[in-house]
Amino acid sequence: MSSSPSTDSPAPQAAPADEFDTSFFPAPSPFFARYTSHNLSLPPDALISDVPGEPAPFLAKELEPPNVDWIVQEGSYSVFGETWPVEEKLPTLEEMGVQEMFDRNADRKQSLQTLLRAVLLTYTQLLDSLLIPPPSLAHPRPTLPDGSAPPSEPGRLTEHVRLIAINMHHLVNELRPVQARETLKTMMQAQIDRRRAKTAAIKRKCAEITSVLSTMHSDILAASSAAAPTPSPASPSHDRASPAQTEDKSTTIRGKLQALIDSLE
């Protein structure tokens, strides 16, 4: 009797975990598990090894916050693996490993003009070098003492232009504080000019209002004297102002008042 082969199918494999699985509420950083009340109460030389997710044990002194005095003393601090100085300082080209092509004691504007003329001259030389025919097999280019080929003339001039551009960019960055001061002066001067213009306009409007009020005051006095004249003993039959004239003057005064109100609006 022959035995039938096993027909058991293999178990289905689990789907691979999604490496790019994201969540709207991501979990906090695993470092939070270090800062428990028990771990913070341990002495600095105590070794902590029962923190879940930590690949290796660590000392309790690593839980202490950084000392501000040390940061000030060292002059720099580290954030996300990058070292930043406490006082912002523009490094020199020499510190960055770049050749300086200007005098530090000279005027920056004159140095920029000199570098600009140098880059224009180098550019014309680069154009001339591109017109030279390349070396042939009959006339090969001489090699350096170490056997390597020397840099081509266009390559050398291109590198020179790049070096000049780096120096010009560095000089422009050094002039940023000067630009900021001049911009601030311009803004403050513009504010002063606007305030002076507004003050002059207010003074002119005040003078106009004073003139209109003086004219209205004179007209009111004239209208009052015309409406109720004092009889003179020398001329008992003095003619009084007619009601129409009084009404016309009142209308004129009301018109001036309305014009004054319109000008103020």
Side-chain angles (χ1 to χ4, degrees):
M1 183 176 179
S2 62
S3 61
S4 60
S6 176
T7 58
D8 295 339
S9 60
Q13 297 180 356
D18 188 3
E19 297 180 357
F20 301 99
D21 187 16
T22 58
S23 174
F24 289 104
F25 302 99
S29 173
F31 293 102
F32 83 98
R34 291 184 171 190
Y35 298 90
T36 61
S37 301
H38 173 70
N39 292 343
L40 293 175
S41 62
L42 295 175
D45 55 349
L47 186 64
I48 303 174
S49 59
D50 56 349
V51 178
E54 287 291 336
F58 59 92
L59 296 177
K61 66 179 181 180
E62 297 182 11
L63 302 179
E64 297 179 359
N67 194 335
V68 180
D69 296 335
W70 294 348
I71 296 177
V72 175
Q73 182 178 0
E74 294 179 0
S76 61
Y77 58 94
S78 179
V79 177
F80 299 111
E82 296 289 339
T83 303
W84 300 89
V86 176
E87 296 182 0
E88 293 293 337
K89 179 183 177 182
L90 182 64
T92 62
L93 291 178
E94 184 178 357
E95 294 175 353
M96 294 186 293
V98 180
Q99 178 185 357
E100 290 186 354
M101 305 180 66
F102 58 90
D103 186 7
R104 295 183 182 179
N105 299 324
D107 187 11
R108 294 294 183 262
K109 296 181 180 180
Q110 295 180 359
S111 299
L112 282 172
Q113 293 177 357
T114 303
L115 291 175
L116 179 59
R117 289 192 292 267
V119 74
L120 292 176
L121 178 61
T122 308
Y123 182 72
T124 56
Q125 294 177 355
L126 177 61
L127 295 179
D128 293 338
S129 65
L130 293 176
L131 299 177
I132 300 175
S136 60
L137 295 177
H139 302 282
R141 183 180 302 170
T143 59
L144 296 177
D146 57 356
S148 60
S152 61
E153 188 67 12
R156 184 185 67 83
L157 294 175
T158 303
E159 180 64 22
H160 192 62
V161 170
R162 188 185 72 86
L163 185 60
I164 295 175
I166 293 175
N167 280 262
M168 294 179 68
H169 189 271
H170 182 77
L171 287 176
V172 170
N173 287 336
E174 287 187 350
L175 292 176
R176 295 296 183 187
V178 179
Q179 179 187 9
R181 286 194 297 268
E182 294 299 328
T183 304
L184 182 59
K185 290 179 182 178
T186 304
M187 293 173 59
M188 296 180 67
Q189 186 64 39
Q191 292 180 3
I192 293 174
D193 294 340
R194 287 196 299 268
R195 292 180 181 179
R196 287 178 177 175
K198 291 180 180 179
T199 304
I202 292 173
K203 289 182 178 180
R204 288 194 301 268
K205 184 60 66 176
C206 290
E208 293 176 3
I209 294 174
T210 303
S211 177
V212 172
L213 291 177
S214 300
T215 305
M216 291 173 57
H217 185 264
S218 301
D219 293 342
I220 291 173
L221 292 178
S224 300
S225 60
T230 303
S232 176
S235 57
S237 60
H238 182 72
D239 296 336
R240 295 186 178 182
S242 62
Q245 294 177 353
T246 304
E247 184 177 358
D248 293 341
K249 291 184 178 181
S250 301
T251 304
T252 304
I253 293 173
R254 285 197 298 269
K256 291 183 178 181
L257 285 173
Q258 186 63 38
L260 177 61
I261 294 173
D262 295 340
S263 65
L264 292 177
E265 292 179 354

